[in-house]
Amino acid sequence: MAEYYDRYGSFRDNGQMEPIPGIKIPLQSTDKQTLYKTGKSRLDKVSQEYYGNPYHGWLILLANPQWGGMEFDIPDETPIRVPFPFTSAVERYILEVKKHKELYG
């Protein structure tokens, strides 16, 4: 089972939340692909299947930015990328957050 990762931790400053940028998860050869089926698929279920917990659907959304960050905008029967394995997906996210902070402070 994958550990929980708090994606908001990098954006808390003295109890205040900074705006969270639209980070994209870079492609990696170990990533998986699955078919999104409206009414049957949910990203918490996809997260459970691939990561062993239902809490990281947001990673899957960040790997599929063409859908605007909203699960409900993903068309039926659409192939979606699942960043995999979990540890690598989180590491890629953290790296992209660091790059964003270096560029935009």
Side-chain angles (χ1 to χ4, degrees), residues 7-18:
R7 68 178 166 155
Y8 300 108
S10 298
F11 300 100
R12 285 192 196 98
D13 186 25
N14 294 325
Q16 298 292 318
M17 285 296 296
E18 299 172 14

Side-chain angles (χ1 to χ4, degrees), residues 24-105:
K24 296 178 185 174
I25 303 291
L27 181 65
Q28 187 168 293
S29 63
T30 56
D31 290 350
K32 306 289 184 182
Q33 193 171 51
T34 189
L35 200 60
Y36 187 86
K37 296 182 182 185
T38 304
K40 293 183 181 179
S41 297
R42 288 195 335 236
L43 294 184
D44 59 334
K45 290 182 176 184
V46 176
S47 176
Q48 179 68 48
E49 179 181 346
Y50 288 92
Y51 302 146
N53 71 58
Y55 306 116
H56 295 93
W58 60 270
L59 272 174
I60 299 164
L61 277 174
L62 293 177
N64 296 276
Q66 67 273 31
W67 307 119
M70 293 295 296
E71 176 176 354
F72 308 107
D73 291 337
I74 302 172
D76 192 29
E77 301 290 322
T78 298
I80 58 172
R81 180 169 63 98
V82 179
F84 193 84
F86 176 75
T87 304
S88 169
V90 170
E91 288 170 355
R92 286 181 271 165
Y93 173 76
I94 291 169
L95 182 61
E96 293 302 311
V97 167
K98 285 180 183 177
K99 286 180 186 176
H100 182 274
K101 287 188 172 252
E102 287 173 4
L103 285 172
Y104 302 105

